[in-house]
Amino acid sequence: MKKFLLSFCAVVAAFGMACASETTYNVNDAENLKGEDIAETKKDDGSVQAARHIQPLESFNLDEFMFTFTDGGGKTAPAYYWATSTNANQQRTVRLYASNTCTITAPEGTSITKIDFKGSNAGSNLAFTVNTGSMTLSGNNATWSGNTNSLTFGVSASWRFTELTITTGEGGGNQGGGDTGETKVLWTGLAQTANDTDFTFENVVLPAEATYIWSWKSYNGAYYLNASAFVQNVAYASEAYAISPVIDLTGATGNITATFEHAAKFQTTLKDLCGLVVRTEGTTEWTKLAVPEWPVAGGWDFANSGNIDLSAYAGKKIQLAFKYGSTADGADTWEIRNLIITGEGEGGYTPDPTPTNPAFEKVTSITSGEGYIFVIGNQYGAPIAATATYGRLNLTNGEVSGNTFYAPENAAITIAQTANGYTLVDAEGRFLGMDAAYLTSFQLYTEANSGCYWNATFNGDAVTFTNTLTGCIVCQSLGANGTPYTNIAPAVVADGQVLPTLYKKADESGIVEVATDVDAAPVYYNLQGVQVANPEHGLYIVRQGNKVSKVLVK
């Protein structure tokens, strides 16, 4: 068993501190595995079709730690996978799927204070729920921190882990003889799984060239708070706040901390002019809080902020706000999600908001000009990144109720019939097409060309979109080992491919109609319902008088 031990006990007597140890475990060393053991299967040619695995996985031990699992009501049960017999890398994995839970229990009298997970294959909208403490994601890896003998966490999307480093102490980890209450989550906000946010936006300095600074956006089905005063490739001076609802800490005690995740590729004035601020209920003056950790420039990887001390606000009601500032010399883009407050006692805990994604209805015919999503099982094809020139629709968990599927507005693809066939246009106004050189991904174009036309046929609930240039079809195809890919994309016709089902948006407008003069000027909104003063190319909702419609601006 792979272990690395770091301990400190020399000053226990002097400072009343419990011994702490840090141990790294590999899931290859799991013992007493319980669940249904499914043997490796092979194809007729002798190649491996599916690796050996235990599914549903019920429990196992790593040293003295007990791991137990449930499906949590999800469609797919947790699993423990061996590598295929032909693979040189024999690393095994624990695989969790949407709604699954994992409980890690330490020996009696031992307190877990931190777990670092080495993970992989994180789903695009992965978020964690925990019974105590806080758990954050960084890339594919995750870190939990708190103080408990038994941790239970749940996942909103698929995720795997192979190693975990567990930090422990004795007797609950109390240091210095203070409050021995258990640390737990007191409040959460800006969950990356939430379709909307209850934060309010306040502009102090808004440049004339911008219509807003703060917005709630999504990428590949994961949501985040976004701020920028970089408009049309020009930086402008600004000051704006994204303000939380009132957070009740009147019952909170002990060490109270806040954490969040943030990303910023371009950094000029970010650390000087942006940050987290706090005020007590009923006051107007903000107090700046120290943010220990900032994201690394040069990419869009989210980083954890580190613990931000709110202990001075125990027993009070507060508001937090993210302050954005910029100048003509620098206007960075700042992305924020998963704000969590932990402490002892009781807090104004706010669960993740119930998803309010628009409804899409299953169809077996196409109405030209309407918005549709591709669905396989309980997953929809998420939109391709706004900056990409090609890509695939990553399969992302959604909410299904009978023949109704709930997915983000910007996942809708407008399907229109032309003399040459159907066109597929995404929320960014890009045509999903192909060229003869690339047969496994959508090529994205601002104008239709010969590779942007598709024929469509239905067979029951399944729809086949065939590209008129290449003959490829839109599907979920299989990899070389027979495992389905986690996306919907074009592919050369082959056995085993899964065809999607088509769902049409039930309500195209998404905006409450307001009676106005029929000769009124058109008002444009983006697909999140935010008014846009100067629409550029893309898909918009337009209200003119009493008429609401969706238009493509080229």
Side-chain angles (χ1 to χ4, degrees):
M1 181 175 290
K2 181 181 178 182
K3 294 184 180 180
F4 301 93
L5 299 177
L6 300 172
S7 340
F8 61 93
C9 297
V11 293
V12 171
F15 293 98
M17 298 174 61
C19 294
S21 66
E22 181 180 285
T23 309
T24 297
Y25 297 94
N26 191 302
V27 301
N28 281 14
D29 299 311
E31 299 175 326
N32 302 318
L33 287 150
K34 293 183 180 180
E36 183 178 353
D37 196 340
I38 302 171
E40 182 177 86
T41 58
K42 296 186 177 182
K43 299 179 182 179
D44 293 339
D45 62 3
S47 62
V48 176
Q49 182 171 12
R52 177 190 174 190
H53 58 286
I54 292 178
Q55 192 173 28
L57 173 63
E58 297 175 4
S59 63
F60 62 71
N61 293 91
L62 277 175
D63 200 6
E64 296 181 295
F65 291 90
M66 169 65 75
F67 291 70
T68 56
F69 302 86
T70 74
D71 62 19
K75 183 178 179 181
T76 306
Y80 179 95
Y81 265 78
W82 280 257
T84 61
S85 57
T86 57
N87 194 333
N89 180 4
Q90 287 296 302
Q91 177 62 57
R92 304 173 190 175
T93 57
V94 172
R95 303 187 182 186
L96 302 177
Y97 303 91
S99 300
N100 291 176
T101 71
C102 171
T103 299
I104 304 173
T105 303
E108 185 176 355
T110 300
S111 178
I112 306 171
T113 57
K114 185 180 180 183
I115 305 178
D116 290 309
F117 295 84
K118 181 179 180 181
S120 65
N121 296 77
S124 60
N125 63 342
L126 176 63
F128 299 102
T129 57
V130 291
N131 67 326
T132 182
S134 61
M135 190 164 177
T136 57
L137 184 70
S138 178
N140 286 314
N141 300 324
T143 298
W144 174 86
S145 59
N147 193 325
T148 187
N149 175 258
S150 182
L151 162 68
T152 298
F153 68 90
V155 296
S156 65
S158 57
W159 182 55
R160 306 174 186 179
F161 65 87
T162 55
E163 285 186 1
L164 60 165
T165 299
I166 303 177
T167 303
T168 61
E170 296 176 358
N174 179 42
Q175 297 186 12
D179 193 333
T180 60
E182 186 178 49
T183 299
K184 60 185 179 182
V185 176
L186 302 177
W187 186 88
T188 65
L190 306 178
Q192 69 185 71
T193 55
N195 184 48
D196 201 358
T197 179
D198 53 2
F199 274 55
T200 57
F201 304 148
E202 178 182 307
N203 296 317
V204 178
V205 178
L206 180 66
E209 293 78 6
T211 55
Y212 59 88
I213 299 298
W214 288 100
S215 61
W216 186 241
K217 294 188 174 183
S218 68
Y219 174 68
N220 280 349
Y223 293 85
Y224 57 92
L225 198 60
N226 178 280
S228 180
F230 193 71
V231 182
Q232 295 293 302
N233 295 320
V234 178
Y236 293 95
S238 72
E239 182 179 343
Y241 295 78
I243 305 170
S244 76
V246 174
I247 302 167
D248 187 357
L249 298 180
T250 54
T253 60
N255 295 323
I256 304 172
T257 59
T259 61
F260 61 90
E261 298 171 358
H262 54 158
K265 182 176 182 179
F266 308 102
Q267 299 184 25
T268 55
T269 58
L270 181 74
K271 296 178 183 178
D272 296 326
L273 300 182
C274 302
L276 183 66
V277 294
V278 62
R279 67 185 180 191
T280 55
E281 183 186 27
T283 64
T284 58
E285 294 297 320
W286 294 105
T287 299
K288 185 176 182 180
L289 297 166
V291 177
E293 301 293 337
W294 289 84
V296 177
W300 292 112
D301 293 331
F302 280 87
N304 191 277
S305 64
N307 290 335
I308 300 166
D309 188 16
L310 294 177
S311 301
Y313 298 93
K316 300 177 182 180
K317 293 183 179 181
I318 65 168
Q319 284 182 292
L320 294 174
F322 291 96
K323 176 190 175 184
Y324 179 85
S326 61
T327 69
D329 295 324
D332 305 324
T333 297
W334 193 21
E335 299 179 351
I336 301 161
R337 69 186 187 189
N338 297 334
L339 174 61
I340 300 172
I341 298 176
T342 59
E344 298 165 7
E346 300 297 329
Y349 177 74
T350 303
D352 292 345
T354 301
T356 56
N357 285 323
F360 293 78
E361 301 294 337
K362 184 188 293 185
V363 295
T364 54
S365 63
I366 297 172
T367 302
S368 181
E370 299 289 346
Y372 297 83
I373 57 173
F374 291 107
V375 172
I376 292 177
N378 66 341
Q379 296 182 309
Y380 67 93
I384 299 170
T387 56
T389 58
Y390 66 93
R392 303 172 179 87
L393 307 178
N394 289 326
L395 285 168
T396 303
N397 290 323
E399 181 184 353
V400 186
S401 178
N403 289 327
T404 303
F405 198 102
Y406 298 91
E409 174 81 34
N410 67 346
I413 295 171
T414 300
I415 301 178
Q417 190 169 23
T418 74
N420 298 318
Y422 288 102
T423 57
L424 311 180
V425 178
D426 69 7
E428 299 293 331
R430 302 171 299 186
F431 289 86
L432 276 62
M434 295 191 70
D435 64 33
Y438 302 98
L439 303 182
T440 61
S441 62
F442 291 106
Q443 304 301 307
L444 305 177
Y445 303 98
T446 57
E447 296 182 359
N449 58 42
S450 60
C452 294
Y453 298 104
W454 305 81
N455 292 325
T457 58
F458 287 87
N459 183 6
D461 289 342
V463 62
T464 303
F465 274 85
T466 306
N467 188 265
T468 59
L469 176 68
T470 65
C472 292
I473 64 171
V474 175
C475 64
Q476 179 188 27
S477 56
L478 304 179
N481 63 355
T483 302
Y485 287 115
T486 57
N487 57 61
I488 297 174
V492 176
V493 179
D495 292 336
Q497 293 168 331
V498 180
L499 295 174
T501 301
L502 204 59
Y503 284 69
K504 182 173 78 72
K505 191 171 184 299
D507 176 15
E508 280 294 331
S509 71
I511 299 174
V512 177
E513 188 174 285
V514 179
T516 59
D517 187 90
V518 294
D519 295 323
V523 180
Y524 291 82
Y525 299 84
N526 64 21
L527 297 183
Q528 286 72 45
V530 178
Q531 187 172 335
V532 178
N534 299 301
E536 299 176 349
H537 72 86
L539 208 56
Y540 294 85
I541 298 165
V542 179
R543 187 181 69 213
Q544 186 171 20
N546 290 328
K547 182 180 180 182
V548 179
S549 60
K550 184 177 284 186
V551 300
L552 177 63
V553 178
K554 295 184 177 180

